Amino acid sequence: MPNIKIFSGSSHTDLAEKIAHRLGTHLGKVVSRKFSNQETCVEIGESVRGEDVYIVQSGCGSINDNLMELLIMIHACKIASSHRVTALIPLFPYARQDKKDKSRAPISAKLVANMLSIAGADHIITMDLHASQIQGFFDIPVDNLYAEPAVLKWIRENIEGWKNSVIVSPDAGGAKRVTSIADRLNVDFALIHKERKRANEVDRMVLVGDVKERVAILVDDMADTCGTICCAADKLVMAGASKVYAILTHGILSGPALSRINKAPFEAVVVTNTTPQEEHCAESDKIKVIDISPILAEAIRRTHNGESVSYLFSNAPL
């Protein structure tokens, strides 16, 4: 049976190291540098012939550079005769551009899917895709893992009075995610209907559901500039919520996000480490991080051994 080889791109080395440590191995040698004209050059520093290769690269930081680096790494391993190349992409880049919502709009997520396939990826592992239909953009197997089991564990361990809480979706699109969590916790749910005038700007919000004198837990798959969740938090406080938490799988937190979070009435904003969070934690003490490396490591182990990955959809590894 081929051995596991784990390589890390330059987007999130810390997560890759945690995954390798959890699997009792070490990261493979890889050197990524740029020529003076900004072309990316990647050198794989050890043999991958006949090996089961996993490349960890998240869609954060310099997204375009990191995506290109991932494609080059996949290609380099493929033409070096590796047995199988799996791209482990905790945050899938361009996932929000998943449909043609206006004339002449690109479906960039489909383009990224084509690029990964053509580069030579045999398998994709990702987490909480913005739209699960993105799995259908690929003709190769895609495992879309969920942070939900880790989120449920965090809620039970860290929120006092969670049994009297309400799980709130900040938009109608997240209703399915929120109802799933509310059912597993056996609590109520609510949702906020928002109307947007233009991208990244929310015009008006309407709360559907009752949060009076209860703990409100906002749940979303990603937060970028945090305009939506901060407006939602204000709306919940106005509606009489006793405490407001936010739980977000992908805490991108770009632009004015951190200053908005610091001003907003959150007890805590919980994110996972699908993107690096060290700087965000330093700038705001409201930010708490759930480590999802055990889930990703277990997915790699199960994939390598030919076991079912569906256990991870409803259970967090210990």
Side-chain angles (χ1 to χ4, degrees), residues 263-283:
K263 290 175 193 162
F266 290 116
E267 295 292 313
V269 174
V270 183
V271 294
T272 71
N273 58 344
T274 54
T275 65
Q277 299 293 348
E278 293 80 13
E279 289 180 21
H280 300 154
C281 291
E283 288 185 49

Side-chain angles (χ1 to χ4, degrees), residues 24-186:
T25 180
H26 58 274
L27 291 178
K29 295 187 186 76
V30 59
V31 177
S32 175
R33 56 196 171 83
K34 286 218 171 131
F35 294 128
S36 61
N37 68 349
Q38 298 304 300
E39 279 183 10
T40 302
C41 173
V42 176
E43 292 171 16
I44 307 293
E46 56 190 77
S47 171
V48 293
R49 183 175 295 271
E51 304 286 36
D52 193 8
V53 175
Y54 294 83
I55 301 171
V56 182
Q57 183 82 300
S58 203
C60 55
S62 307
I63 292 175
N64 297 330
D65 282 351
N66 290 338
L67 176 58
M68 195 66 209
E69 183 183 80
L70 173 61
L71 296 170
I72 294 170
M73 287 174 80
I74 292 169
H75 176 68
C77 291
K78 199 69 186 170
I79 62 172
S81 303
S82 58
H83 173 67
R84 175 174 64 177
V85 180
T86 301
L88 196 151
I89 314 170
L91 169 53
F92 193 84
Y94 292 94
R96 283 177 284 186
Q97 298 181 37
D98 61 339
K99 58 185 176 290
K100 199 166 175 180
D101 53 358
K102 53 182 181 288
S103 302
R104 298 172 297 282
I107 306 177
S108 307
K110 168 67 174 159
L111 176 63
V112 172
N114 288 347
M115 288 160 72
L116 287 164
S117 299
I118 286 170
D122 298 299
H123 181 202
I124 306 290
I125 299 175
T126 184
M127 181 164 257
D128 273 351
L129 281 171
H130 189 61
S132 52
Q133 302 90 292
I134 291 172
Q135 291 170 91
F137 292 170
F138 290 89
D139 292 326
I140 56 175
V142 178
D143 284 319
N144 179 29
L145 303 172
Y146 300 107
E148 185 182 297
V151 165
L152 291 168
K153 188 166 174 254
W154 194 93
I155 290 173
R156 290 188 178 113
E157 289 174 2
N158 295 280
I159 298 181
E160 283 183 43
W162 62 267
K163 289 181 179 174
N164 187 36
S165 64
V166 182
I167 313 293
V168 186
S169 173
D171 56 20
K176 194 173 173 185
R177 185 181 302 108
V178 162
T179 49
S180 170
I181 290 175
D183 288 348
R184 301 265 310 262
L185 290 172
N186 198 22

Side-chain angles (χ1 to χ4, degrees), residues 196-216:
R196 284 180 191 267
K197 283 273 170 75
R198 58 172 80 92
N200 287 17
E201 286 184 28
V202 179
D203 184 36
R204 194 169 76 92
M205 290 190 144
V206 182
L207 174 65
V208 183
D210 179 30
V211 296
K212 196 169 176 65
E213 292 172 9
R214 293 163 89 181
V215 176

Side-chain angles (χ1 to χ4, degrees), residues 128 147 150-156 158-159 216-223 226 229 244-253 261 266-275 277 280-281 284-292:
D128 273 351
V151 165
L152 291 168
K153 188 166 174 254
W154 194 93
I155 290 173
R156 290 188 178 113
N158 295 280
I159 298 181
I217 305 170
L218 278 161
V219 175
D220 208 354
D221 68 318
M222 65 167 66
C226 291
I229 63 156
V244 181
Y245 291 85
I247 300 182
L248 317 157
T249 304
H250 306 298
I252 301 167
L253 311 184
I261 286 170
F266 290 116
E267 295 292 313
V269 174
V270 183
V271 294
T272 71
N273 58 344
T274 54
T275 65
Q277 299 293 348
H280 300 154
C281 291
S284 173
D285 55 2
K286 289 183 181 177
I287 290 177
K288 306 285 183 272
V289 182
I290 297 173
D291 180 18
I292 47 94

